[in-house]
Amino acid sequence: RKEVEQDPGPFNVPEGATVAFNCTYSNSASQSFFWYRQDCRKEPKLLMSVYSSGNEDGRFTAQLNRASQYISLLIRDSKLSDSATYLCVVNPTGGGNKLTFGTGTQLKVEL
Amino acid sequence: ETGVTQTPRHLVMGMTNKKSLKCEQHLGHNAMYWYKQSAKKPLELMFVYSLEERVENNSVPSRFSPECPNSSHLFLHLHTLQPEDSALYLCASSQDRSGTYTGELFFGEGSRLTVL
């Protein structure tokens, strides 16, 4: 089983749609979780951290389900500029900087 | 100007060549990383330097040799590479704080390597 697993997509959605991505992780002892965004031919950038209580940043909502070992990202009112690859990232040890990345889910927002 | 700068952006080399990738961070961070990104594969952590000391070496073949002369600079020396080493090599930095970790890595734009 992969350490971090994501549906690669692509998810093609119309502008204004709501879209959700899920990600599962294999290490039940994992401590911290993140979503990164990577635009085409660009470097990954931190989008948001994922907290146990769930967290929201504008149109973006991230949630963590420790019991089922999955993380979700919800994007409301999609914009063309949201088109990118969304990387699920897990810190399996809780300390240090050894992040484990998923392969990413590609989102294409269309007119 | 980005906080993490990588050169060269593109590199084509033969299997017998020796080349180096360079990374410089202008963010005052104390940890630097090399990641490999291949098509349809997740980012693979190669090396981690914290306070200029190598703290992680993820079973990377010896044909990749990192060097961290100071907290702002990181190199990846390449020699006798194989075609399967063709990939995007990403440098990143972060600020290590004992006991806490924000999960934020700042990446450079990458060096796209093609091995012929």
Side-chain angles (χ1 to χ4, degrees):
Chain A
R1 182 182 174 185
K2 293 181 184 176
E3 290 185 76
V4 179
E5 198 147 6
Q6 297 181 251
D7 181 344
F11 284 56
N12 298 308
V13 302
E15 207 175 10
T18 295
V19 61
F21 309 134
N22 286 334
C23 162
T24 58
Y25 60 94
S26 60
N27 186 343
S28 59
S30 296
Q31 298 293 316
S32 46
F33 311 88
F34 314 92
W35 284 101
Y36 273 69
R37 169 189 170 137
Q38 186 171 22
D39 292 317
C40 186
R41 298 191 176 281
K42 292 288 193 178
E43 72 277 20
K45 292 183 180 178
L46 179 66
L47 177 66
M48 58 197 304
S49 301
V50 187
Y51 303 125
S52 297
S53 55
N55 49 303
E56 188 174 312
D57 182 2
R59 297 181 293 108
F60 297 83
T61 301
Q63 291 193 315
L64 167 64
N65 184 319
R66 285 190 184 273
S68 301
Q69 293 179 217
Y70 80 80
I71 307 146
S72 65
L73 177 67
L74 181 78
I75 305 175
R76 291 182 300 277
D77 188 24
S78 300
K79 311 290 185 192
L80 293 175
S81 57
D82 294 334
S83 298
T85 296
Y86 291 83
L87 304 171
C88 176
V89 184
V90 174
N91 186 343
T93 65
N97 304 334
K98 301 169 191 175
L99 299 183
T100 301
F101 285 76
T103 52
T105 297
Q106 188 179 11
L107 171 66
K108 295 182 180 179
V109 181
E110 302 163 332
L111 286 171
Chain B
E1 183 182 319
T2 61
V4 180
T5 306
Q6 290 187 240
T7 55
R9 295 292 309 281
H10 300 273
L11 178 63
V12 179
M13 60 187 288
M15 289 192 285
T16 58
N17 291 159
K18 287 185 181 180
K19 297 286 185 183
S20 296
L21 306 180
K22 178 183 175 183
C23 176
E24 183 174 0
Q25 59 98 357
H26 313 277
L27 300 169
H29 289 164
N30 58 11
M32 296 188 77
Y33 313 74
W34 280 116
Y35 278 86
K36 175 183 178 182
Q37 187 172 36
S38 305
K40 302 193 185 301
K41 288 186 177 181
L43 269 75
E44 300 171 50
L45 179 63
M46 300 176 72
F47 302 105
V48 181
Y49 278 83
S50 181
L51 298 172
E52 301 157 42
E53 182 180 336
R54 191 190 308 181
V55 296
E56 183 77 12
N57 178 344
N58 254 7
S59 303
V60 178
S62 59
R63 56 187 184 268
F64 295 92
S65 173
E67 178 190 359
C68 187
N70 56 60
S71 60
S72 299
H73 293 86
L74 185 65
F75 294 89
L76 188 63
H77 303 300
L78 316 169
H79 63 98
T80 58
L81 295 192
Q82 304 297 311
E84 60 265 28
D85 296 323
S86 298
L88 181 67
Y89 289 85
L90 290 160
C91 173
S93 70
S94 72
Q95 185 60 25
D96 264 4
R97 295 185 184 87
S98 177
T100 65
Y101 179 58
T102 65
E104 185 157 23
L105 295 178
F106 292 80
F107 285 89
E109 292 184 291
S111 294
R112 185 160 297 280
L113 173 67
T114 303
V115 182
L116 301 175

